[in-house]
Amino acid sequence: MNKMRKEKKILDIIIVGAGPAGLASAIYSARYGLDIMIISKEAGGLASTAHKICNYPGFNEISGFELMNKFLEQVRNLNVPLVYEEVLKIEKNKDKLFVIETYENKYFSRKVIFAGGMTRKKLGVKGEDEFYGKGVSYCATCDAGFFKNKKVAIIGGSDAALTSAILLSEYASEVYIIYRKDKFYRAEKAWIQIVEQNPKIKSIFNEEVLEIIGDENNKKVKKLLLKNSGEFDVDGVFIEIGSEPNLNVIQFLNVEEEDGFIKTNKQQQTNIPGFYAAGDITNCNLKQIVTAASQGAISAFSCFEELKKEGIKK
Ligand SMILES: Cc1cc2nc3c(=O)[nH]c(=O)nc-3n(C[C@H](O)[C@H](O)[C@H](O)COP(=O)(O)OP(=O)(O)OC[C@H]3O[C@@H](n4cnc5c(N)ncnc54)[C@H](O)[C@@H]3O)c2cc1C
């Protein structure tokens, strides 16, 4: 029997991640006429979990979900292939091609735009994993509706923590923000004002969670054990203490880092030729949708210029 040998397809660019950075880079790359695809675990990224976005130009106020759907719609209109797979490993082979491995497939490309973003940090306390989905949540936008007329706590003091509290106050009867510092140093003034004026939201400063405790059958969250005030009854706890970059898939590439993030130059190029990074995963100080989208666009442009220099594109 004749064994058919499957030819491997070599793309100009593979974009990893379908958050604002990945989707913006796809829009630009597709419009440059490059042969591309996006591989992502899911579409929309962290941005789609934001309750209210009031700082993305062009929209006074829009939910993260709605805004990311608009990005996605534009990508779909440009017929960019998007596969929902988890990337396990990115390597460069002896032919200087990137090999992107998922559970299901191996893909090959000349350039990579890595826009893998970040994953929510855990508190690291007893009960956190056990009660995940049983009162412990990392996404107010996804889960606020389950806490109608309940008492909830948000752990953290960033914009994400405050906007989660504002959203939860539309459902829950009592909302407590528990923060280990003495005031909200990192949050925007506009959000602090709204929180302070909301009668349902109370802030507890200089406090830390030591444990999340369940009910008698350990079926759902019942209370928190706090460092200074002891036991504190709650029905739900939302953990908003930041995120960390998803760097594990590039451990074989020896990509240079700065402060734990991928170091890029102004063209979004890393120290590995052909490997670009954009968005929250990079050493950019302002980790926002507008900067992620901008870096996505720049990385697409840089790839296009490089492919032209290499004579692959005209
Ligand atoms: C609650 C909250 C509220 C926010 N509010 C605002 C706001 O009001 N305004 C603002 O500008 N910013 C806001 N942000 C920040 C904003 O969401 C981020 O800056 C932005 O999403 C970064 O985009 P990104 O594309 O770099 O990463 P992400 O949006 O995180 O996207 C990363 C993508 O990579 C994919 N991915 C990761 N690892 C893999 C893998 N191994 N294989 C395949 N795919 C992978 C993920 O599935 C995801 O699709 C908020 C963030 C949070 C959490």
Side-chain angles (χ1 to χ4, degrees):
M1 201 167 73
N2 249 353
K3 272 193 188 160
M4 290 280 285
R5 219 171 130 216
K6 207 177 158 193
E7 280 296 310
K8 65 179 181 215
K9 181 168 179 184
I10 300 164
L11 294 161
D12 292 329
I13 311 174
I14 288 181
I15 297 160
V16 177
L23 294 173
S25 69
I27 292 166
Y28 275 74
S29 309
R31 292 176 58 83
Y32 288 132
L34 302 178
D35 198 5
I36 62 165
M37 75 181 290
I38 309 174
I39 308 175
S40 192
K41 280 194 278 195
E42 41 75 38
L46 270 192
S48 60
T49 69
H51 165 47
K52 268 187 197 166
I53 293 168
C54 305
N55 54 9
Y56 191 77
F59 298 94
N60 283 326
E61 184 180 310
I62 187 166
S63 77
F65 184 75
E66 211 183 327
L67 179 63
M68 293 326 295
N69 263 340
K70 289 186 184 291
F71 274 53
L72 263 173
E73 193 185 323
Q74 202 170 348
V75 166
R76 284 198 196 103
N77 288 342
L78 290 162
N79 297 317
V80 176
L82 166 56
V83 297
Y84 291 107
E85 293 176 19
E86 179 170 355
V87 172
L88 303 175
K89 197 158 69 170
I90 306 177
E91 283 181 304
K92 212 171 177 182
N93 69 11
K94 60 177 176 13
D95 300 324
K96 296 191 176 153
L97 291 175
F98 289 98
V99 185
I100 291 106
E101 207 177 310
T102 69
Y103 283 107
E104 300 86 353
N105 291 298
K106 258 187 191 177
Y107 300 95
F108 299 85
S109 64
R110 296 183 180 91
K111 314 281 172 209
V112 166
I113 296 175
F114 188 54
M118 301 206 277
T119 301
R120 301 290 181 93
K121 268 192 202 156
K122 285 188 170 185
L123 260 185
V125 298
K126 194 168 169 225
E128 184 176 13
D129 289 340
E130 189 181 350
F131 295 108
Y132 175 63
K134 298 174 185 170
V136 173
S137 170
Y138 299 86
C139 177
T141 308
C142 321
D143 297 334
F146 298 120
F147 294 89
K148 224 170 174 184
N149 301 320
K150 304 261 167 139
K151 181 177 169 184
V152 297
I154 292 112
I155 319 300
S158 62
D159 285 342
L162 270 55
T163 52
S164 295
I166 295 162
L167 169 65
L168 279 156
S169 72
E170 290 170 23
Y171 298 85
S173 53
E174 293 171 72
V175 179
Y176 292 85
I177 303 176
I178 298 174
Y179 190 36
R180 64 194 164 95
K181 299 207 171 143
D182 59 353
K183 64 177 188 181
F184 297 121
Y185 288 98
R186 289 170 49 213
E188 271 183 31
K189 276 206 179 97
W191 295 129
I192 298 175
Q193 256 173 21
I194 296 173
V195 161
E196 285 173 348
Q197 284 162 9
N198 187 319
K200 274 193 186 175
I201 307 176
K202 293 195 175 52
S203 304
I204 304 174
F205 294 105
N206 295 312
E207 190 55 285
E208 281 177 51
V209 177
L210 300 178
E211 188 180 339
I212 299 167
I213 301 166
D215 61 5
E216 55 279 9
N217 306 314
N218 274 344
K219 280 203 167 150
K220 55 184 171 57
V221 168
K222 179 93 189 311
K223 54 192 167 194
L224 302 175
L225 179 61
L226 302 180
K227 195 173 174 181
N228 301 317
S229 7
E231 291 188 351
F232 186 81
D233 286 349
V234 284
D235 301 298
V237 51
F238 287 79
I239 297 163
E240 283 290 358
I241 56 165
S243 310
E244 49 203 355
N246 292 318
L247 293 170
N248 49 332
V249 301
I250 55 163
Q251 56 185 303
F252 305 98
L253 273 178
N254 292 322
V255 177
E256 201 180 329
E257 292 174 20
E258 189 175 77
D259 301 328
F261 293 87
I262 297 179
K263 189 174 172 185
T264 65
N265 64 13
K266 279 188 190 161
Q267 286 73 41
Q268 299 307 126
Q269 211 166 9
T270 68
N271 61 314
I272 307 296
F275 190 79
Y276 292 77
D280 279 7
I281 195 107
T282 70
N283 57 342
C284 167
N285 285 336
L286 183 65
K287 299 204 185 302
Q288 291 278 279
I289 299 165
V290 72
T291 44
S294 147
Q295 292 188 341
I298 294 169
S299 56
F301 175 70
S302 304
C303 286
F304 181 46
E305 289 294 301
E306 208 173 67
L307 287 163
K308 279 197 295 187
K309 262 191 223 152
E310 291 164 6
I312 293 158
K313 291 285 154 185
K314 283 192 182 145

